[in-house]
Amino acid sequence: MASSSKLLLFFLSPIFIHFLALGTIAELKEQHHVCYNNTGNYSTNSSYEENLHRLLNSLSTKTVDYGFYNFSDGENADEVYVIGICRPDMDPENCRKCISAASNNLTSICSNFLLATIWLDDGEYHNCMLRYANYSIFGLMEDAPYFYKSSKGNITENLEDFSQKRNKLLKRLIGEAAARGSPTKYAVGEEGVSENLRLYALVQCNPDLTEANCTSCLNGILGNLSACCDKKEGGGVDCPSCRFRYEKTKFYHSSIEGKKNTVITAVRSVIGFVILIFIGCIILRMRKTEEDDEIVVEASSSQEYYSGSTRSDQLKNEVVPLSRNDVSMITELLPR
Ligand SMILES: *[C@@H]1O[C@H](CO)[C@@H](O)[C@H](O)[C@H]1NC(C)=O
Ligand SMILES: *[C@@H]1O[C@H](CO)[C@@H](O)[C@H](O)[C@H]1NC(C)=O
Ligand SMILES: *[C@@H]1O[C@H](CO)[C@@H](O)[C@H](O)[C@H]1NC(C)=O
Ligand SMILES: *[C@@H]1O[C@H](CO)[C@@H](O)[C@H](O)[C@H]1NC(C)=O
Ligand SMILES: *[C@@H]1O[C@H](CO)[C@@H](O)[C@H](O)[C@H]1NC(C)=O
Ligand SMILES: *[C@@H]1O[C@H](CO)[C@@H](O)[C@H](O)[C@H]1NC(C)=O
Ligand SMILES: *[C@@H]1O[C@H](CO)[C@@H](O)[C@H](O)[C@H]1NC(C)=O
Ligand SMILES: *[C@@H]1O[C@H](CO)[C@@H](O)[C@H](O)[C@H]1NC(C)=O
Ligand SMILES: *[C@@H]1O[C@H](CO)[C@@H](O)[C@H](O)[C@H]1NC(C)=O
């Protein structure tokens, strides 16, 4: 009895860790924001401000099931448009929490700016972008400003092979993501580099982009790959309309891979504890420690992360031009 309950605990623990990781709000680790200084300001107590605050506040009560927020409020010159997007492996509730945190931050950080964008990342399951403007930004492709991040670890062996495989993987995923239909404009995949080195990557466009604009956005930021991540074990580039990231560990949740998705969903939806335990045991045995690895990996890779474009001397209300060639980003590395 004692040994069998130990066994149960042993097999169940990864499942519980899995649930916990999806359910808790980790502290913010990274925040990037851009307050656009060349497009004008709104004044305090204006209708624009009122609409903006009402719109952003309302986001915290809205749950969307496909990870993309697209709302507007107000009329004529005072209309405010907002779009927000979550990493595709986030569930709707965590996405809502992330968007809600982003909207709270945005009004205080970029107060009085007509246009602003913010990115949040807690290194786990809260990763989103939110932006607002005084014109419709739905369907618009903007590949600037961008920021990039890379891991501290360097590739020391087979660098050429590594770069080649990495670029090949990203190119393939860009094609896949761009070709996919509206709510799911992303792709994940992996590529073996050598016997003990595999690469995992995720690319994503905002779902309001056309195939041509998605391709062009991702190819654009892919052009920054060497500046961002040359010789780096992991890294990625983010801009308002698209983003990519690669790692040598599987940093995204298996649920968006498609095939394994069905297994995990089946486990989750099983009614009855006993059945859950048995299926859990079988699957976990089959898949060995993969579930466990994922979470550990996610946490450790995010700890290694830092922003390649961090300029910690810059503070809020920094002016950022829209031109891609002359972009500065504001990054706050928040204490953990
Ligand atoms: C908008 O206001 C901010 C301060 O809130 C200021 O730094 C910025 O220069 C202003 N921009 C314009 C175009 O007036
Ligand atoms: C904005 O409105 C509040 C309360 O309605 C008032 O206290 C404040 O002075 C106003 N600010 C400006 C700049 O008009
Ligand atoms: C997004 O908002 C625009 C208006 O800004 C609207 O035309 C469009 O239908 C909306 N799309 C979705 C998917 O909500
Ligand atoms: C940003 O959001 C986080 C998490 O909700 C919060 O802890 C932080 O105080 C916010 N920062 C600002 C400037 O609003
Ligand atoms: C947005 O604000 C700018 C600056 O005030 C203005 O020139 C532009 O016409 C506004 N756009 C819309 C759609 O109202
Ligand atoms: C791509 O985006 C640009 C700029 O946002 C827009 O003007 C253009 O119509 C888009 N092209 C397609 C094919 O959607
Ligand atoms: C990786 O390389 C960079 C410069 O090429 C160096 O500054 C850094 O310390 C290296 N990182 C590690 C973990 O060795
Ligand atoms: C990013 O790419 C653009 C062109 O796509 C280029 O103009 C810019 O200099 C690059 N920035 C960096 C930091 O590599
Ligand atoms: C906007 O930001 C740029 C770059 O930081 C700066 O050169 C410019 O003076 C700013 N414009 C305004 C109106 O503050």
Side-chain angles (χ1 to χ4, degrees):
M1 185 63 200
S3 74
S4 75
S5 63
K6 243 185 215 165
L7 194 71
L8 283 183
L9 276 181
F10 173 73
F11 280 118
L12 273 176
S13 58
I15 298 183
F16 285 130
I17 291 169
H18 179 80
F19 273 113
L20 283 175
L22 286 170
T24 52
I25 317 161
E27 284 170 85
L28 227 45
K29 284 184 184 140
E30 256 184 69
Q31 183 214 77
H32 303 259
H33 62 265
V34 182
C35 313
Y36 296 79
N37 81 331
N38 54 354
T39 46
N41 284 357
Y42 61 80
S43 44
T44 306
N45 291 349
S46 64
S47 305
Y48 189 84
E49 180 182 63
E50 204 184 298
N51 295 338
L52 176 65
H53 286 185
R54 192 172 51 240
L55 180 57
L56 292 179
N57 287 337
S58 75
L59 295 183
S60 64
T61 63
K62 293 188 163 104
T63 309
V64 296
D65 57 6
Y66 43 88
F68 182 64
Y69 283 72
N70 169 40
F71 296 100
S72 68
D73 196 349
E75 290 178 332
N76 305 324
D78 293 322
E79 184 158 8
V80 185
Y81 301 83
V82 59
I83 62 171
I85 190 163
C86 291
R87 213 171 84 168
D89 55 349
M90 284 167 57
D91 62 32
E93 180 54 16
N94 281 327
C95 179
R96 187 193 60 77
K97 285 179 190 160
C98 187
I99 293 288
S100 170
S103 57
N104 287 339
N105 275 211
L106 204 46
T107 32
S108 51
I109 294 167
C110 293
S111 79
N112 292 99
F113 284 86
L114 275 173
L115 259 82
T117 305
I118 189 168
W119 288 263
L120 295 188
D121 187 0
D122 69 357
E124 287 174 36
Y125 291 104
H126 297 89
N127 185 315
C128 62
M129 182 214 72
L130 183 72
R131 63 195 315 239
Y132 71 80
N134 71 332
Y135 55 89
S136 176
I137 41 181
F138 184 79
L140 281 189
M141 193 278 270
E142 285 180 42
D143 58 2
Y146 58 86
F147 68 91
Y148 50 77
K149 37 191 184 178
S150 60
S151 62
K152 288 175 189 152
N154 299 317
I155 292 294
T156 49
E157 285 167 34
N158 301 326
L159 185 58
E160 214 169 294
D161 207 23
F162 177 87
S163 303
Q164 204 193 334
K165 296 264 172 58
R166 175 186 61 188
N167 297 3
K168 188 179 134 203
L169 173 61
L170 288 169
K171 281 275 180 198
R172 171 165 70 79
L173 295 179
I174 287 174
E176 279 177 30
R180 289 182 79 177
S182 173
T184 53
K185 260 191 151 31
Y186 61 83
V188 291
E190 52 187 270
E191 181 82 33
V193 178
S194 64
E195 209 175 301
N196 42 22
L197 180 60
R198 284 188 88 67
L199 274 177
Y200 300 83
L202 180 153
V203 310
Q204 183 191 26
C205 282
N206 295 355
D208 54 339
L209 294 195
T210 59
E211 178 169 1
N213 269 347
C214 176
T215 307
S216 132
C217 183
L218 284 166
N219 281 336
I221 57 170
L222 195 61
N224 290 105
L225 185 63
S226 58
C228 141
C229 312
D230 200 29
K231 300 183 192 167
K232 294 297 180 187
E233 287 176 341
V237 182
D238 280 59
C239 71
S241 292
C242 64
R243 51 218 63 95
F244 74 82
R245 180 174 161 192
Y246 73 92
E247 294 290 338
K248 59 176 190 166
T249 52
K250 196 198 274 179
F251 60 92
Y252 49 84
H253 200 274
S254 298
S255 62
I256 54 168
E257 280 175 320
K259 222 170 74 199
K260 285 179 187 172
N261 185 13
T262 51
V263 177
I264 290 175
T265 312
V267 170
R268 278 197 199 148
S269 57
V270 161
I271 308 156
F273 202 52
V274 178
I275 302 172
L276 176 90
I277 290 166
F278 275 104
I279 293 183
C281 289
I282 292 161
I283 288 171
L284 287 166
R285 221 177 239 153
M286 276 180 353
R287 298 176 57 198
K288 294 189 202 123
T289 57
E290 197 187 332
E291 291 266 46
D292 209 356
D293 279 352
E294 258 165 53
I295 287 137
V296 174
V297 156
E298 180 86 21
S300 65
S301 71
S302 66
Q303 264 155 23
E304 277 178 11
Y305 258 65
Y306 66 97
S307 170
S309 56
T310 299
R311 290 170 65 178
S312 50
D313 54 331
Q314 291 187 329
L315 285 172
K316 63 179 187 174
N317 290 354
E318 189 70 23
V319 198
V320 179
L322 280 160
S323 141
R324 169 183 238 203
N325 297 327
D326 185 20
V327 161
S328 53
M329 292 294 302
I330 301 103
T331 300
E332 270 174 32
L333 288 166
L334 299 164
R336 280 191 275 133

